[in-house]
Amino acid sequence: MAGDLRRSPLHDWHVAAHAKLVGFGGFEMPLAYPTGTVAEHLACRQGAACFDVSHLGTVEMTGDDAFERLQGQLSNDLRRIGPGRAQYSHLLDEDGSVLDDVIVWWVDDTTFDVMPNATNTSRVRNAIGGRDTTAQRAVVAVQGPTARAVVGAIWPEAAAVGRFMVAPVAWRGTACMVAGTGYTGEDGVELAVPVQVAAAIWQALVDAGAVPAGLGARDTLRLEAGLPLFGHELGPGITPLQAGLGWVVGWDKPLLRAREALAAERERGPARRLRGIVASGRRPLRDGATVLFDGRAVGRCTSGSFSPVLGRGIALCLLDAGPGGEALPEGTEVAVDLRGAHVPATVVAPPFVPLPSPAPIAGR
Amino acid sequence: MDLPEQLRYTTDHEWVSVTGDRIRVGITDYAQDALGDVVYVDLPAVGTVVAAGEVLGEVESTKSVSEIYAPVSGTVLSVNETVTAAPEQLNSDPYGAGWLCELAPTDPSAPEALLDADAYRRLVGG
């Protein structure tokens, strides 16, 4: 592994567990444990999995003007929530492109923890200000239908933090921050804990029955849940409207970046829209593959892999919209060009598998 | 890493076992570990004639695609239909239930030129 990668506070645990490590967002992180990506994925859908997501950034915003700065810089409308709540939001370019997607943890009246993608932490910090506290904490996500029961066995106060709620919670006297958020489509919590207690909490979670899962499973889980990934479904040239995330735009805010571009796009209808496609067989669909309808290209896959739950190839894709602004409807039979082979597939509305409600990233 | 002494190996991380006039081909323990969970296997049709080094099939994990190359020239005699439905057998039993296909080599002595276990062990740094 390259020597210039940053390490998680849980690095030693991963090495001792014989995890396969991979460079991601400037960090050396577990791709999979010997359990394997598919078993880790299914553990999260059926029980509880724990993920080290310390590579995510944390930018702490404090002060009387913190609300106004975030409200002016990020797309979503913080007035939809309040202190003690979390909200999904976008940092937009002037043309409406998504520069990053973040989760805002509104801790109290004057304190916010903003969590960008690992590679975008400095970009987000440049836009909103604040203090990069990434190196001071680990972030552990515990996800799955039994996640709260597993967390509750070792840390009841953390397990009690509800969906999209945020609360300061102590671990044996050490101040931590817990949110009812995640990136798998399942219920669960994310625990932001100081470096010195990270290993003890992780070990306690594993002992309580959480299955350690790597970034490989995290990616197939978020894909199966239809959740966007920056650099794939979001990025230069892709607006929230194209990605089907119009609810992330706070139209009623006095100050909204890219308002003109977004309003114009809303008026004429997005030129393309994010859809799901499910292959007829097991072959994994792949990022970048062309989607064909009636023999002509109608879009491309932005993320693709294999759904362990469905046992089929799946992909998110941006499909060209017709004159009425509508993309191909659900149920349309298409083909995906995988290195010259045309794999039959069907257009669907994500998520690809049934998930608990409310919608996984609907931090409204 | 499991590396049976009686098998032959290729630099593309395939193993070959010889039984009379047919060879059986699979991927090595090293290869399955590097790939991660195999979720899809594409095998050639029985009767396909391949030259050594030509693409024989494809093995995919959630993250990556790897081609399988013919270790020697020959004709495909049979394929392991079981792994098509249960590709995880490439991970759990790469030298046994996870075999891929059987070939009739054009030159029956060709497998002798492949790597032996010691040479393959050196290749993968074991």
Side-chain angles (χ1 to χ4, degrees):
Chain A
M1 282 293 150
D4 55 353
L5 292 173
R6 294 169 71 179
R7 286 180 170 176
S8 156
L10 297 167
H11 179 82
D12 291 349
W13 197 96
H14 304 320
V15 170
H18 305 287
K20 197 175 291 177
L21 299 171
V22 65
F24 185 77
F27 282 75
E28 187 179 17
M29 299 299 291
L31 177 67
Y33 298 86
T35 320
T37 294
V38 171
E40 292 165 18
H41 179 115
L42 294 174
C44 182
R45 287 277 179 255
Q46 294 161 0
C50 53
F51 304 80
D52 178 6
V53 292
S54 301
H55 62 289
L56 297 176
T58 297
V59 177
E60 186 189 72
M61 302 273 293
T62 54
D64 293 339
D65 63 342
F67 173 90
E68 287 303 331
R69 276 191 284 157
L70 286 176
Q71 181 74 337
Q73 290 294 330
L74 300 179
S75 66
N76 210 335
D77 193 340
L78 283 169
R79 295 173 302 183
R80 290 167 172 166
I81 61 166
R85 295 280 303 274
Q87 185 182 63
Y88 177 73
S89 199
H90 286 168
L91 178 67
L92 297 176
D93 208 348
E94 282 308 322
D95 68 352
S97 293
V98 181
L99 294 173
D100 197 21
D101 62 333
V102 302
I103 296 276
V104 177
W105 292 8
W106 190 341
V107 177
D108 60 39
D109 283 348
T110 57
T111 310
F112 297 80
D113 284 341
V114 180
M115 304 187 69
N117 284 287
T119 49
N120 291 331
T121 303
S122 52
R123 170 185 283 176
V124 169
R125 188 166 160 268
N126 288 340
I128 64 176
R131 198 163 62 94
D132 183 350
T133 59
T134 306
Q136 296 166 23
R137 88 300 180 259
V139 180
V140 175
V142 191
Q143 304 274 295
T146 65
R148 285 179 189 279
V150 167
V151 175
I154 62 152
W155 195 3
E157 301 85 353
V161 178
R163 201 105 175 104
F164 280 94
M165 306 301 276
V166 178
V169 178
W171 165 264
R172 298 174 188 170
T174 300
C176 302
M177 197 62 65
V178 175
T181 50
Y183 192 47
T184 61
E186 299 292 338
D187 192 15
V189 290
E190 290 181 306
L191 316 166
V193 305
V195 167
Q196 67 271 18
V197 294
I201 291 173
W202 177 268
Q203 187 62 54
L205 289 166
V206 173
D207 292 344
V211 175
L215 294 183
R218 190 165 185 260
D219 191 50
T220 51
L221 285 159
R222 73 92 194 165
L223 177 60
E224 225 175 45
L227 300 177
L229 174 62
F230 181 81
H232 293 260
E233 287 72 39
L234 303 171
I238 308 174
T239 67
L241 304 184
Q242 293 171 14
L245 298 170
W247 58 268
V248 175
V249 180
W251 297 104
D252 300 334
K253 296 201 296 184
L255 188 60
L256 172 66
R257 279 173 79 153
R259 182 193 301 279
E260 279 182 29
L262 291 173
E265 186 180 33
R266 184 168 64 164
E267 181 66 25
R268 67 175 182 269
R272 51 189 186 165
R273 288 178 188 270
L274 196 68
R275 289 284 185 269
I277 43 174
V278 178
S280 60
R282 292 183 61 95
R283 189 172 187 168
L285 302 179
R286 297 296 182 189
D287 176 16
T290 300
V291 181
L292 302 157
F293 175 67
D294 263 354
R296 68 192 162 83
V298 292
R300 67 177 173 85
C301 297
T302 49
S303 294
S305 188
F306 171 79
S307 162
V309 170
L310 299 178
R312 294 175 182 221
I314 57 170
L316 291 170
C317 53
L318 282 168
L319 298 183
D320 298 339
E326 289 305 312
L328 294 174
E330 276 178 64
T332 306
E333 300 296 326
V334 294
V336 180
D337 185 339
L338 291 175
R339 300 173 297 283
H342 289 189
V343 174
T346 306
V347 176
V348 299
F352 294 92
V353 296
L355 296 173
S357 55
I361 55 171
R364 282 170 277 186
Chain B
M1 183 179 55
D2 189 17
L3 211 154
E5 291 298 325
Q6 74 278 16
L7 300 179
R8 293 281 174 169
Y9 297 89
T10 74
T11 54
D12 296 313
H13 308 288
E14 289 136 15
W15 58 261
V16 170
S17 68
V18 182
T19 310
D21 58 357
R22 64 169 59 198
I23 64 167
R24 183 171 275 197
V25 180
I27 65 167
T28 65
D29 190 29
Y30 176 88
Q32 70 77 21
D33 184 62
L35 275 168
D37 285 358
V38 176
V39 296
Y40 176 77
V41 179
D42 188 34
L43 297 173
V46 171
T48 305
V49 178
V50 289
E54 274 186 359
V55 173
L56 197 55
E58 209 174 75
V59 173
E60 302 197 26
S61 67
T62 55
K63 275 289 184 196
S64 63
V65 183
S66 289
E67 288 179 328
I68 305 299
Y69 302 98
V72 297
S73 301
T75 304
V76 177
L77 292 176
S78 69
V79 298
N80 184 1
E81 302 285 359
T82 315
V83 294
T84 310
E88 63 273 13
Q89 291 183 349
L90 270 73
N91 295 112
S92 58
D93 192 7
Y95 300 111
W99 66 279
L100 293 173
C101 63
E102 293 184 315
L103 302 179
T106 312
D107 171 5
S109 68
E112 292 167 24
L114 299 174
L115 304 177
D116 62 16
D118 280 341
Y120 183 67
R121 190 176 292 113
R122 283 194 297 274
L123 176 77
V124 297

